[in-house]
Amino acid sequence: MAYDVMYTAQATVTGEGRKGHGRTEDGRLDVDLSVPKGMGGDDGPGTNPEQLFAVGYAACFHGALKAVARKDKTSVDGSTIESHVSLGKSDEGLDIAVELDVTIPGVDQAKAEELVEAAHQMCPYSRATRGNIEVKLTAKAV
């Protein structure tokens, strides 16, 4: 697949993977990594790959939501994306599942669902994971 690169993030992880340290080349992200209790860790200081993925996916999805809303001439001001990333065991090993709870004020439920589905089609994270992991979307109009 050919595409024009707009941006490339570069990061390095050292140490013991989930008990290591991660840093982007520009220093904007510089984090200790720890293993959550649910995976046999001690919930020590730091974050984990699932938390980083949850923030990244939610941010990317929110950008896609705002883009489709602009095109639709619909305001999504005050919208929020709550992201849940779960790691679990399957027959193939460890797998990830994602739930995105999208709240959009000022629209009816049908419009909220339409915008969320359109964002799901546009979002690079959604496209990258489509067919590979379970992604559950919930749209909520308030």
Side-chain angles (χ1 to χ4, degrees), residues 8-136:
T8 299
Q10 180 182 336
T12 302
V13 172
T14 57
E16 300 178 33
R18 288 181 171 273
K19 288 182 172 180
H21 187 85
R23 185 178 190 283
T24 57
E25 94 289 343
D26 62 5
R28 289 182 177 194
L29 181 64
D30 192 341
V31 295
D32 289 325
L33 302 169
S34 63
V35 180
K37 279 187 180 180
M39 293 181 61
D42 61 5
D43 266 345
T47 188
N48 60 63
E50 292 71 36
Q51 289 173 325
L52 295 169
F53 188 67
V55 169
Y57 199 156
C60 188
F61 197 92
H62 207 201
L65 177 67
K66 288 178 178 281
V68 298
R70 269 191 309 275
K71 192 173 187 179
D72 191 63
K73 296 182 180 15
T74 302
S75 173
V76 292
D77 290 347
S79 58
T80 60
I81 314 292
E82 186 175 305
S83 178
H84 306 262
V85 174
S86 301
L87 186 68
K89 293 180 184 178
S90 73
D91 292 339
E92 289 88 34
L94 295 177
D95 284 322
I96 288 178
V98 175
E99 293 182 30
L100 298 176
D101 297 329
V102 183
T103 302
I104 307 172
V107 300
D108 64 27
Q109 185 62 32
K111 179 54 80 173
E113 291 171 6
E114 175 188 322
L115 291 170
V116 166
E117 182 54 36
H120 189 48
Q121 296 308 310
M122 174 187 271
C123 174
Y125 275 59
S126 291
R127 291 195 339 265
T129 60
R130 189 167 290 123
N132 296 312
I133 66 170
E134 181 181 333
V135 177
K136 179 184 173 190

